Amino acid sequence: MEETYLLNVEGVKKKILHGGQGELPKLQDGSKFTFHFQTLKDNFERTVIDDSREAGMPMEIIVGKMFKLEIWETLLSSMRIGEVAEFWCDITHTGMYALVSRGMRRISEGRDPLEGQKHRCGMGNMFDYHSTGYADLDELQRTPQPLIFVMELFRVRGMEGWLPEQEQLGQAAQLLLSMQVEEPSAYKRDTWAMNNEEKLAAVPVLHSEGNRLVLRREFAQAAAKYQEAVICLRNLQAKEKPWEDDWLKLESLVTPLVLNYCQCQLELGEYYEVLEHTTELLQKHNDNAKAYFKRAKAHAAVWNEREAREDFMRVAHLDPSMAAAVKKELKQLGERMRKKHVEDRKRYKGLFQSPQGQ
């Protein structure tokens, strides 16, 4: 069961995805964390920025060695061995991420992470360059934003209460430590930990689970399933060239999932969420009648009469089979707007009418 915690650090939220073992680490300078991580944008698709599994190596940082992203020491210090946790961090903690990621990527590519860097503070170096060499990191530099870090802690060396050398451990303890470092955790794997084939295989399962929850009118849970499926597909899509065949095949799977998600949000009364995602969808697919229909209903719900009518008429033009549904919605919209106008007139009349006798 996922649990959310507020650490004693402003601008950080923690969600435990899988519990760990033992006590929280009591650290000292020189303690070394070994962990896998994934960095995500805080958006609907939870766009993946970096993934240590994709890079093929776990991450290691040493306490007290002035790692540029200081918040990671705090996050890891809140974790037990074997724990998997998700941390949301606001921009006060993520401003240096682009530089840290640039260095890690260069290392994974077999390049010098400090190549061309002047001997100045990290922020100074950031302003020395127009580009990190990576388009997504350049975007992070231009528009600092909150980030999500998913971390799986394998091992802490030099930690108080732990013997640092395996030779001092019993055979059973050595086996346990080996499993913690080398074997996948025994928790239901979230999409962040899946490989490409597993992500693709998860999509129809998540889609089906979402549909089942809709039938039970559990719209919030269904929306979460559809969103998770979209995240799988967007992660795969990011590896393809936009608008080429493989990208378009994945996009054809994304579209109905986003529409299902929006329908759930309509049922939940999250109309501005619907406006955001249908508009984004229509920027890519401006002939999608269902997207216009859902956006029109959201506009109508928030009293955007002109926009709602335009979208409903667009639906009827694109898909004549929906003309009857459009006619019904336009009639309901007209009745709601007339009722609202009458109520507004009464309200304003009462507001500005002088009290009797004055």
Side-chain angles (χ1 to χ4, degrees):
M1 179 178 179
E2 296 181 357
E3 299 179 71
T4 303
Y5 298 90
L6 294 175
L7 302 183
N8 294 322
V9 180
E10 187 175 351
V12 176
K13 297 177 185 178
K14 176 182 179 181
K15 182 187 293 182
I16 295 178
L17 306 181
H18 174 68
Q21 303 170 4
E23 301 296 324
L24 288 175
K26 297 178 181 178
L27 301 173
Q28 54 195 6
D29 282 359
S31 298
K32 182 167 69 174
F33 291 107
T34 303
F35 60 100
H36 268 304
F37 76 94
Q38 191 178 55
T39 304
L40 314 169
K41 288 187 177 181
D42 183 21
N43 58 8
F44 173 71
E45 291 87 358
R46 289 166 62 96
T47 305
V48 177
I49 300 172
D50 289 308
D51 187 337
S52 62
R53 295 176 186 277
E54 291 280 338
M57 65 177 73
M59 179 71 178
E60 292 185 343
I61 63 173
I62 299 174
V63 175
K65 294 298 183 182
M66 299 298 290
F67 182 61
K68 287 181 180 178
L69 206 64
E70 294 179 12
I71 192 63
W72 274 17
E73 282 190 17
T74 302
L75 306 184
L76 291 162
S77 298
S78 76
M79 299 176 69
R80 294 171 169 83
I81 301 296
E83 181 178 320
V84 182
E86 175 180 307
F87 300 91
W88 177 91
C89 298
D90 70 17
I91 60 175
T92 61
H93 302 295
T94 61
M96 293 297 295
Y97 185 77
L99 285 182
V100 172
S101 175
R102 174 179 179 264
M104 291 188 295
R105 291 184 187 186
R106 286 181 172 232
I107 291 171
S108 69
E109 294 165 1
R111 300 165 61 192
D112 180 359
L114 301 179
E115 179 184 332
Q117 184 168 309
K118 298 179 181 179
H119 294 289
R120 296 175 57 187
C121 69
M123 192 60 69
N125 277 307
M126 182 179 290
F127 289 113
D128 278 337
Y129 297 94
H130 297 294
S131 173
T132 62
Y134 303 94
D136 57 338
L137 300 183
D138 290 344
E139 179 192 350
L140 285 182
Q141 286 195 167
R142 287 192 299 269
T143 56
Q145 56 195 269
L147 296 174
I148 296 168
F149 303 112
V150 181
M151 295 179 163
E152 181 174 9
L153 182 60
F154 295 137
R155 179 170 56 187
V156 182
R157 289 300 186 97
M159 182 179 75
E160 276 187 35
W162 275 61
L163 298 175
E165 298 300 329
Q166 287 200 41
E167 288 76 13
Q168 300 178 44
L169 300 174
Q171 186 175 7
Q174 288 188 38
L175 178 60
L176 176 60
L177 181 58
S178 174
M179 290 175 64
Q180 288 171 341
V181 175
E182 297 176 3
E183 297 296 324
S185 296
Y187 68 99
K188 182 182 177 183
R189 302 184 76 194
D190 204 350
T191 51
W192 75 273
M194 295 179 181
N195 61 34
N196 291 348
E197 290 73 20
E198 289 169 332
K199 287 175 183 174
L200 193 58
V203 170
V205 176
L206 292 165
H207 198 158
S208 178
E209 289 177 355
N211 292 348
R212 177 176 54 81
L213 289 164
V214 166
L215 293 175
R216 291 162 51 181
R217 301 192 65 77
E218 297 178 15
F219 297 113
Q221 295 89 333
K225 295 295 182 182
Y226 295 136
Q227 183 179 20
E228 190 173 357
V230 170
I231 290 167
C232 288
L233 292 169
R234 290 299 192 204
N235 288 348
L236 294 172
Q237 227 179 6
K239 299 176 176 65
E240 305 296 339
K241 190 171 181 180
W243 303 106
E244 293 200 347
D245 286 347
D246 289 340
W247 188 94
L248 288 170
K249 288 175 183 176
L250 293 167
E251 184 70 14
S252 69
L253 300 175
V254 168
T255 299
L257 288 163
V258 173
L259 291 173
N260 287 358
Y261 174 86
C262 288
Q263 183 60 43
C264 290
Q265 298 304 321
L266 282 173
E267 298 286 351
L268 294 167
E270 299 290 345
Y271 304 119
Y272 290 102
E273 182 88 354
V274 176
L275 291 175
E276 177 185 348
H277 295 299
T278 51
T279 298
E280 183 178 342
L281 186 62
L282 287 165
Q283 287 171 350
K284 295 180 182 176
H285 312 286
N286 62 4
D287 59 348
N288 191 301
K290 291 181 179 179
Y292 278 112
F293 189 78
K294 296 183 193 303
R295 190 172 73 170
K297 287 177 70 71
H299 275 308
V302 296
W303 307 105
N304 296 337
E305 182 181 12
R306 178 180 60 81
E307 292 87 347
R309 289 187 180 278
E310 288 177 356
D311 279 354
F312 278 132
M313 295 306 294
R314 183 70 171 162
V315 172
H317 173 74
L318 289 169
D319 188 351
S321 70
M322 298 181 70
V326 167
K327 184 177 180 180
K328 179 181 177 181
E329 292 289 343
L330 287 171
K331 182 179 178 182
Q332 291 177 350
L333 176 61
E335 290 171 352
R336 288 182 68 240
M337 295 307 301
R338 281 191 292 274
K339 184 178 179 181
K340 182 177 185 295
H341 293 326
V342 170
E343 291 174 350
D344 287 346
R345 282 197 297 271
K346 289 180 180 178
R347 186 180 302 112
Y348 292 133
K349 184 178 180 181
L351 181 63
F352 293 107
Q353 190 174 30
S354 298
Q356 191 173 4
Q358 291 189 5

